[in-house]
Amino acid sequence: MQQYSSLPEQNSQVDTRTKLLTSIEQLRADLWLESTLNKLQSRLNDCLLSSCTTEAEIFQTVVNELNSALQYSEVAIALFQPQETYKICYASESSSFFISNTGKKLQLSFDQAIDIEDLQQLENQHPPSAWRLAEDLQGVASWLIIATQLQESNSESLKAPQVKLTSKLMARAANQCAVALAQLRQIKSLQECSQHLESFNQELQRTNQLKNQFLANTSHEIRTPLSSIIGFTHLLLAQGYDPTRERHQEYLNIIQSSGKHLLALINDILDLSKIEANQLEVQWEIVNVPTLCSNVFALLKEKAANKNLKLHLEVDANITTLVADSLRLKQMLLNLLFNALKFTTTGSVGLKVAVKGEFMYFTVWDTGAGISKEDQTELFQPYFQIANAAIDRDQGTGLGLAVTQKLVEIHGGWLKVESKVNQGSRFTIVLPLTQKHRDAQEGVETFGENVSTEVGGNGGNLNNNSSSKILLVEDDLPNAKLIKTYLEKLGYQVTWVKNAAEMWQAITQLQPAVILMDVYLPDENGLKLVQQLRKNQQYKTIPIVAQTAMAMKGDRETCLAAGVNDYISKPIDLPLLATLVGKYSKVGNG
């Protein structure tokens, strides 16, 4: 020790002067001890205040400060290693030796292995030469070790107080080190929590910005077709509708087109929202690929013919089936093919299907305008539409590619694009041939798309085998008037009621062939009415079709579970409605 390097020799004769000197030496020793520990604590505090401090820096600080304070000793710290042994990890540059109580000579040098039994022996001997530090997160302790080399000239009476003082210093230093390590771990934990909260807040801000942008874009996209619908309806009302005037027919076509565009936008928004929320369910089944592709192309012929474009379908001869959701696969292909038709003014549009290894490749190609590298980076962002003066912007929603990419990923595949300006584009859907860990019988929301269409040759028109009495339960006047007018033109007798009370009054007198039931009524839930009808012996066999604006996940299943025979979502597809009424009016009559 620098300040307590030697003690005055004690005289055999004890007198007042000797006692005074002894007291002074004790005070000097105590001052040295506290000063050394205060200096060590100050250095540890400096380490803790540093934002980049590690446990290694804490250990090295303790070793350096103690080695500086102890003139005739060497201090080291042993840590547990992955090889299930302890090694000296922090020590001074010089080597030092000491003898344990068992007479075993141990070397105190960097990277020197040391057994746990030796550490425990050093801890238990008197005075101790090893002190156990705080355990780490895995419950493994580190050790503070000292090797003392006292001057040979010192007498045994001098060695005893010096060893005792050194032992006291080491014990308190070990405690300070343990406390500093615990504080460091707490600081690191708080820093991690702070970083997590900061990251979470940034994500919330980003999500909020995306939400605001999404709402702004959605508002703009919805208002555009609504403006056309409201505007041209106003013109028709102001001028008085005349079916013989060509201009009025044009107005109606625009209204219908804008309405379909609005419906497509809403469907895309719902699909995208459900995908983002991980709530979109798919129905895994064995899909006949050639048949599905042929059906898809049948939907393209009219649009391609209107633009004088040639269609090419090439399916490898060895391709037969694929495990996928046929409805969603058809949606993906149509999105890409309609885009190809939209951006191609001359030439051809095609689909090539091939198998490579464990994957099937659906490549949609065209000879159209192509896509720049800059636009390709934004291509799959919601609402992004390529600026092209030759293309009517209202032909698309800007969500089709975003939805398609998400649907491909749900199928375990990926979507890639290759394109050059004025040289056409190639979009390739890559899907695995089989879906591992998928249940082919897994439920899926299908709403109105998958309803049965097996009806007679006259479609939904009334025939001799059909009963003409239809009970329409609908509280919304415009929708009720639309359905009533349409079905009456097909020859049905439609009785319209606005609520549950009117329904019970009408059904006793009418005995309808089919009931069209809205779900949300002013005085009762439509599905509860269905359950009540199913429990009534007189009415339980009457076919009921739910016609409702419910179009979210599980809504169709909820309606079917309540007891309806079929389901059609609003806005009502009138030909589909005619098909369902025609089908169930025959069943009810039969």
Side-chain angles (χ1 to χ4, degrees), residues 226-236:
L226 275 178
S227 177
S228 297
I229 294 171
I230 294 172
F232 282 106
T233 303
H234 175 77
L235 289 178
L236 287 174

Side-chain angles (χ1 to χ4, degrees), residues 468-539:
S468 64
K469 295 179 180 180
I470 307 297
L471 178 58
L472 172 61
V473 186
E474 171 64 70
D475 66 321
D476 183 74
L477 175 61
N479 275 308
K481 190 170 184 62
L482 171 66
I483 295 172
K484 188 173 186 296
T485 302
Y486 181 73
L487 291 180
E488 285 178 345
K489 285 190 175 183
L490 296 179
Y492 294 99
Q493 298 177 19
V494 181
T495 300
W496 170 44
V497 295
K498 298 185 289 295
N499 51 52
E502 292 182 6
M503 184 208 75
W504 288 115
Q505 183 178 358
I507 198 171
T508 57
Q509 305 170 2
L510 187 64
Q511 288 297 318
V514 178
I515 298 175
L516 300 178
M517 179 72 71
D518 187 20
V519 172
Y520 294 110
L521 297 171
D523 59 343
E524 184 64 276
N525 182 281
L527 297 183
K528 289 185 178 180
L529 285 180
V530 173
Q531 293 171 342
Q532 294 170 15
L533 288 168
R534 291 299 179 230
K535 293 177 181 178
N536 190 301
Q537 189 67 27
Q538 185 178 356
Y539 310 123

